[in-house]
Structures are given as C-alpha cells and as structure tokens.
C-alpha cells in the first residue's frame, strides 16, 4: 500500500451485511491512493452495487436470485423502500456509470461526489438497520 493509504471507514452494520462491499471499496480506495483514478471510479461503482444488492437481500431474503440477477437501477427502484437510501444510491449509480462509460452525463461531478454519495448511502443503510434492530428489540 502507498504511504498515504488509509482504510476507509465503513460502519459495522454495513460490514455485517456486505463483506463484498468492504473488500471492493477498500481496493477502490487503494487504487485511488496510487493515483489510478481511471479504475478507482469503476471500483467504487462495483462496490456500490454490492452494497445495495446485499442490503436488499438482507431486507428481502426471499428474493435473492432476482436481486442478484437484476440491473442495479432495477434493484434500487424495486427493492429499496427508504427514500434517502433510494435517492442517494440512484445518484451514486449515475455517477458510477459515468466512471464506466465513454461519455459522461454529469460533467460537473467527479469521483469525489461519487464517494460522498456512497458514504451517504452507507449512513442511511446503517440507520435503517439500526432502526429495525431497536424497534424489534424494544417491542411491547
């Protein structure tokens, strides 16, 4: 690892549902720290897909195969109920797609915006998982 590399913060609740996200996100962060900005964005986009699909599988365990085989945008549209997760994940997907395509649609946004949206998505996922946990643990 380069001297300036630091493992990114990933909430424990996210780690528990998506080890794939953790591995890919760390690799994308390492690639970026090496100055490999042309591939780091692709890695961040892949990490987002694992995060969202694993989150949706966590929420909908009976739909594993459908979630795994669907496009990310379809998974977000059909399986994410929380408005904040949905809006942040959609926008992160748009910017992530820009990292993989020849022509950018969001020319005023870059990899830093993508990382912020992934961070926001992680936070909202964490909030949802914790909310579910405490509601279930404290029912009367």
């Amino acid at each position: 690892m380069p001297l300036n590399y630091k493992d990114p913060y990933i909430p424990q609740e996210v780690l528990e549902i998506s080890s794939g996200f953790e591995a890919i996100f760390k690799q994308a962060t390492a690639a970026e720290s090496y100055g490999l900005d042309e591939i780091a964005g692709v890695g961040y986009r892949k990490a987002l897909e694992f995060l969202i699909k694993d989150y949706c599988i966590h929420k909908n365990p009976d739909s594993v195969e459908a979630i795994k085989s669907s496009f990310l945008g379809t998974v977000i549209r059909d399986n994410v109920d929380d408005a904040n997760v949905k809006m942040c994940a959609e926008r992160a997907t748009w910017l992530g797609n820009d990292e993989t395509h020849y022509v950018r649609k969001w020319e005023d946004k870059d990899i830093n915006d993508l990382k912020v949206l992934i961070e926001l998505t992680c936070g909202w996922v964490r909030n949802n998982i914790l909310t579910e946990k405490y509601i279930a643990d404290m029912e009367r």
Side-chain angles (χ1 to χ4, degrees), residues 41 44-45 92 95-96 99 110-118:
Y44 287 127
R45 168 57 177 78
L95 295 186
E99 297 296 323
D110 62 18
I111 196 170
N112 293 310
D113 298 297
L114 172 58
K115 291 188 307 184
V116 168
L117 285 165
I118 292 172

Side-chain angles (χ1 to χ4, degrees), residues 9-19 21-22 47-59 72 75-76 79-90 92 116-134:
Y9 170 74
I10 301 171
Q12 183 61 38
E13 295 76 16
V14 172
L15 296 173
E16 290 171 4
I17 65 164
S18 189
S19 60
F21 168 76
E22 176 188 21
L48 174 71
E49 182 154 344
F50 274 67
L51 171 64
I52 293 301
K53 287 188 175 186
D54 287 343
Y55 172 66
C56 289
I57 288 167
H58 169 78
K59 300 277 284 179
L72 180 56
V75 171
I76 294 167
N79 295 280
V80 176
D81 295 329
D82 181 84
N84 291 312
V85 174
K86 184 175 285 218
M87 288 186 294
C88 291
E90 283 175 340
V116 168
L117 285 165
I118 292 172
E119 180 182 332
L120 286 167
T121 302
C122 279
W124 291 118
V125 165
R126 176 183 185 265
N127 290 346
N128 274 270
I129 291 170
L130 285 174
T131 300
E132 286 174 3
K133 176 187 179 294
Y134 279 96

